[in-house]
Amino acid sequence: MHSLSGTNKVHHAKGLYLDGIRDGKVWEALNAHTGARYTQHSTGVGDGQKGFAEFFGPFLERNPVRQIEVIRAIEDGSFVFLHVFQSLNNGESKWVTGDLFDTDETDRVVEHWDVIQTFETRTKSGRTMTDGTTRIEDLHRTEANKALVRSFCDACLINGDFARAADFISANEYLQHNPDAADGLDGLAGLVSDLAARGETMRYWKVHKLIGQGNFVVTLSHMQMGRSHYCVFDIFRLQEGRIVEHWDVTEKILAPEEWNNQGKF
């Protein structure tokens, strides 16, 4: 089963993104793909259909050339996660976004969380921030994989016990897409060490959302590095009970007075 094949939930999540933003049909997309409410956590955007339209009207004018590609789509219950690459104005700016949508009983979008990060072209692993497999498989392992990622987050990311990383991450293969991390367990250890040396010790405060489909699990978390706080999506691919690949999207959390809604979480 390919990750971009999907249900009505995936159709509505992708439609709001591609029809409304890529193709510029804002109100057509809102009316076709959103439900009775549209609660927004993208802090620059106001709640509801009106907030979406007021933000993306000027956005479309500033960015008349929009290449937007949905790389991965992951579905769990009422939730759909999209991993997206954006290139604006013929490469003038390039972004990676993670978008999480909740849907109602008719499969239309009613709530949205996002994280956006500049697309980095130079990475320690030599991979891009979005490449790698998109195929969803091992659906029978969904709940076990979610439980393993939850344990990894609790033990290593929240409690800081990175010595236990090998309990969750494969020692044979750990492909990395974070621009600042090399492959393997050594690459993760090196990232943690480099951050600490710069006075930016990484700590996760809370995993707010965790969804999974087969071999993919996605978390939305509040992370701190040094004195700065971030919203981060981590995307994990698992194989035979171990994490074997990782992507992430990270965005600094703005001060509350800069929010146009209730905040990132």
Side-chain angles (χ1 to χ4, degrees):
M1 177 178 169
H2 192 279
S3 65
L4 296 188
S5 65
T7 62
N8 281 334
K9 294 180 178 66
V10 174
H11 165 73
H12 285 304
K14 290 176 62 179
L16 184 60
Y17 216 123
L18 299 179
D19 300 344
I21 302 173
R22 183 194 64 186
D23 298 343
K25 301 175 182 177
V26 172
W27 279 105
E28 292 93 328
L30 287 167
N31 291 329
H33 301 299
T34 61
R37 68 176 175 90
Y38 186 44
T39 304
Q40 183 64 258
H41 298 274
S42 181
T43 47
V45 185
D47 274 331
Q49 291 186 337
K50 182 181 178 182
F52 185 98
E54 287 179 344
F55 179 86
F56 280 104
F59 173 89
L60 297 174
E61 291 181 6
R62 293 194 308 270
N63 302 287
V65 181
R66 301 175 298 276
Q67 175 195 350
I68 298 178
E69 180 182 0
V70 176
I71 308 296
R72 291 172 183 84
I74 297 161
E75 180 182 352
D76 186 356
S78 64
F79 290 97
V80 175
F81 172 80
L82 301 182
H83 193 201
V84 180
F85 170 77
Q86 299 186 45
S87 175
L88 302 177
N89 300 330
N90 299 311
E92 182 181 284
S93 61
K94 295 182 180 180
W95 306 93
V96 180
T97 66
D99 292 83
L100 182 65
F101 302 88
D102 197 9
T103 60
D104 63 15
E105 64 278 0
T106 69
D107 297 333
R108 291 172 180 247
V109 172
V110 294
E111 195 157 1
H112 169 250
W113 299 259
D114 74 351
V115 180
I116 184 166
Q117 182 177 354
T118 301
F119 181 81
E120 302 287 350
T121 56
R122 299 181 65 181
T123 65
K124 284 195 173 181
S125 69
R127 294 180 180 80
T128 77
M129 295 175 69
T130 57
D131 67 353
T133 186
T134 62
R135 184 169 295 277
I136 291 175
E137 53 193 11
D138 297 336
L139 292 177
H140 64 288
R141 290 183 176 264
T142 295
E143 294 306 317
N145 285 341
K146 288 167 65 176
L148 184 135
V149 169
R150 171 68 72 179
S151 296
F152 168 71
C153 291
D154 288 344
C156 299
L157 300 182
I158 294 175
N159 292 329
D161 188 3
F162 284 96
R164 289 194 58 198
D167 293 344
F168 311 101
I169 296 174
S170 171
N172 298 319
E173 179 182 56
Y174 182 45
L175 307 180
Q176 184 61 258
H177 298 266
N178 179 304
D180 298 320
D183 283 344
L185 285 164
D186 289 344
L188 175 61
L191 173 63
V192 173
S193 177
D194 289 346
L195 289 170
R198 300 201 303 262
E200 297 179 349
T201 298
M202 180 174 65
R203 177 182 178 183
Y204 278 58
W205 286 96
K206 184 177 180 179
V207 175
H208 286 266
K209 301 288 183 186
L210 187 152
I211 71 162
Q213 186 179 18
N215 56 329
F216 280 91
V217 177
V218 178
T219 59
L220 173 65
S221 305
H222 176 185
M223 176 183 70
Q224 182 177 358
M225 286 194 296
R227 295 183 177 181
S228 298
H229 292 258
Y230 296 85
C231 184
V232 56
F233 276 115
D234 288 287
I235 309 164
F236 304 95
R237 183 173 66 87
L238 295 92
Q239 187 173 6
E240 297 180 355
R242 287 290 185 270
I243 297 167
V244 295
E245 194 161 10
H246 170 255
W247 303 256
D248 60 4
V249 192
T250 303
E251 179 183 344
K252 190 173 183 179
I253 299 174
L254 299 177
E257 55 267 25
E258 299 182 67
W259 302 352
N260 288 327
N261 51 55
Q262 62 186 300
K264 297 299 284 186
F265 304 108

